[in-house]
Amino acid sequence: MKIDELTREAVSACLSRRIPFVLYALPGDDRLAFYASPVGETGMSPAFVDDSTDCFFINFFDNDEAYTSGVKFSLDAGTLVQLCKAKDFKQPLAEIRPRVSPTFRASYHEAFSRIIPRLKAEGGKTVLSRHRTIFTKRSPIDMVIDYFGLTDSTFRYLSYTPETGVWFGSTPELLLESDAESREVRTMALAGTRPTDDSEPWDEKNLYEQSIVTDFIAETLKKEGLDVAIDDLSERRFLNIKHLCTEITARGDIDVIDLMQELSPTPAVAGYPRDEALEEISRYETHRRNCYGGYVGVRINGNYHAYVNLRCCFMAPAVFVLDGQISGWLCNLYAGGGIVADSIEEDEWNETNAKTEVLATVLSGRDGSSAVEGMMLNSGSIEMLDAPMAF
């Protein structure tokens, strides 16, 4: 995947001036679209201004904000670059920052040990997540071009809003795609994980996880009065891993924004029963998920293309201090796994490693020398930058 010089300049201008923007490609598309929309006097960047506005949107996992932030498709790359030359923007600083410390193995063990007894007694599923912390000196543009070029089967994006900070991702999981003319929506249940080269029959644990997600989505759609059709079980590959996938369609009178709120978070990223799973996530996870596991996407001509925010990175400019100073980006990489009664802790931990492996490699660069993680990161110190950063 390539990016032209004008778009590269526009992305750099937005990152250095903290102007809300998005660079994205829909599944099956190898062309990147860029849009920006400077915030108004409120200092906020709401996405859903009215139904006629094309926009990008990004939401938090727990839907605890009063509105969904995003980027209206107001300015293209050329207009944004010319505007930056004519005006000195002073845009709001992001309200949240990546965590310097990762999820420690001991913390994951403690959370797992607390969750398992309830699952053994009551059944169900809780998705336990963790994050890796990596400092990289690679530029965001170079990283996303490498990452986006690995597959065209996902929704790929790089964005900034003052509510969410800088995020990029390549997500295979469709939350909701709407067609206003036909009154139809498409979605999918995506659960279960294993390496792509594993050709054995799927085990009962993964099949059980998949059935939970499929049943939840189908019942949610039926409660909205929609006619639901469920496809046969299939597999969906994402680079080094693959998932079980069930595609689902529904038709009827639909309020898409309300339906996205009802579906998110699905049991694929939260668990089931959802209230119990969310309570355990809040109690036992040592980090806030922020936008990981929330939804992200675009509205074009009144139709929605929304995806669960997976295989993603949250980042902010920082300086790594160790025998000198290195400017770069502090990154949090998120992954989770569905914990059920017969889950094996080491297998679940290894699954989160597999889900973040490709993205961590991208942050490290082709020769593996551009990033610092683990003990090397702990040997120095991280200083977050409040001022805009040059790119």
Side-chain angles (χ1 to χ4, degrees):
M1 180 169 281
K2 297 181 180 179
I3 183 171
D4 61 75
E5 288 305 313
L6 180 61
T7 303
R8 179 182 286 269
E9 184 179 356
V11 172
S12 295
C14 288
L15 287 171
S16 62
R17 293 168 173 82
R18 301 192 294 260
I19 300 171
F21 80 96
V22 64
L23 182 73
Y24 78 91
L26 288 167
D29 199 340
D30 61 359
R31 297 169 300 172
L32 288 165
F34 170 91
Y35 293 100
S37 58
V39 300
E41 294 180 356
T42 63
M44 299 188 297
S45 52
F48 302 133
V49 178
D50 61 70
D51 290 342
S52 64
T53 303
D54 289 353
C55 65
F56 163 82
F57 49 87
I58 180 168
N59 201 21
F60 286 82
F61 166 74
D62 45 14
N63 291 323
D64 63 349
E65 298 296 329
Y67 71 101
T68 296
S69 63
V71 179
K72 293 184 292 182
F73 290 177
S74 303
L75 306 175
D76 61 18
T79 305
L80 185 279
V81 169
Q82 291 302 315
L83 190 60
C84 287
K85 291 178 179 178
K87 182 179 179 181
D88 183 20
F89 281 95
K90 292 182 179 179
Q91 299 287 273
L93 185 68
E95 297 178 354
I96 56 175
R97 300 291 185 88
R99 290 173 61 96
V100 174
S101 297
T103 303
F104 295 113
R105 184 67 178 83
S107 298
Y108 185 90
H109 168 74
E110 179 70 15
F112 186 94
S113 300
R114 298 273 187 170
I115 291 170
I116 280 292
R118 184 191 67 81
L119 296 175
K120 287 184 180 295
E122 303 175 13
K125 164 185 170 181
T126 295
V127 177
L128 181 61
S129 77
R130 59 174 282 224
H131 73 278
R132 296 169 65 176
T133 296
I134 299 176
F135 175 86
T136 179
K137 61 183 180 182
R138 296 198 71 196
S139 78
I141 301 174
D142 290 340
M143 287 190 291
V144 300
I145 294 303
D146 286 351
Y147 193 39
F148 295 173
L150 296 175
T151 179
D152 66 355
S153 64
T154 60
F155 178 75
R156 291 141 290 163
Y157 76 97
L158 166 68
S159 73
Y160 169 81
T161 75
E163 297 86 358
T164 64
V166 180
W167 287 78
F168 73 89
S170 177
T171 172
E173 184 171 355
L174 177 69
L175 178 70
L176 199 68
E177 190 168 58
S178 69
D179 186 324
E181 185 174 345
S182 67
R183 299 166 58 241
E184 184 175 275
V185 295
R186 295 192 309 111
T187 182
M188 66 171 59
L190 196 72
T193 302
R194 67 182 188 184
T196 54
D197 59 0
D198 188 340
S199 59
E200 294 296 318
W202 285 85
D203 60 28
E204 289 300 320
K205 184 259 186 188
N206 281 296
L207 291 169
Y208 174 60
E209 280 193 66
Q210 175 66 10
S211 68
I212 288 175
V213 181
T214 302
D215 292 346
F216 169 84
I217 293 174
E219 288 304 314
T220 300
L221 296 172
K222 290 175 182 178
K223 286 179 181 177
E224 296 298 315
L226 306 179
D227 295 326
V228 179
I230 303 173
D231 288 355
D232 293 336
L233 186 63
S234 62
E235 291 183 345
R236 181 64 61 93
R237 177 176 175 175
F238 179 76
L239 302 175
N240 62 326
I241 57 178
K242 59 185 176 182
H243 307 283
L244 288 167
C245 178
T246 304
E247 297 190 9
I248 302 170
T249 57
R251 189 186 299 268
D253 294 326
I254 302 162
D255 185 317
V256 179
I257 295 178
D258 284 349
L259 190 53
M260 288 192 296
Q261 292 278 355
E262 287 296 319
L263 288 172
S264 180
T266 73
V269 291
Y272 187 84
R274 185 163 63 175
D275 288 346
E276 285 87 338
L278 289 173
E279 194 277 332
E280 287 181 326
I281 289 168
S282 176
R283 179 183 297 180
Y284 298 127
E285 287 190 353
T286 56
H287 59 279
R288 189 184 178 196
R289 295 189 179 189
N290 297 316
C291 296
Y292 162 67
Y295 56 80
V296 60
V298 292
R299 180 175 63 197
I300 303 173
N301 297 326
N303 292 321
Y304 292 78
H305 309 265
Y307 299 82
V308 181
N309 194 19
L310 304 176
R311 313 300 179 264
C312 55
C313 174
F314 173 38
M315 59 195 301
V319 172
F320 178 57
V321 182
L322 177 67
D323 299 328
Q325 295 187 351
I326 302 174
S327 296
W329 292 81
L330 184 68
C331 304
N332 288 166
L333 282 56
Y334 300 84
I339 311 302
V340 295
D342 58 352
S343 289
I344 299 172
E345 181 182 333
E346 193 66 22
D347 291 347
E348 299 297 339
W349 178 263
N350 291 338
E351 180 179 315
T352 63
N353 281 330
K355 288 177 175 177
T356 52
E357 179 182 352
V358 172
L359 184 48
T361 301
V362 168
L363 268 60
S364 297
R366 289 182 174 85
D367 62 0
S369 65
S370 296
V372 180
E373 184 182 13
M375 294 303 296
M376 288 187 62
L377 187 61
N378 294 337
S379 66
S381 63
I382 293 290
E383 298 177 2
M384 305 300 296
L385 297 180
D386 291 329
M389 185 176 176
F391 295 90

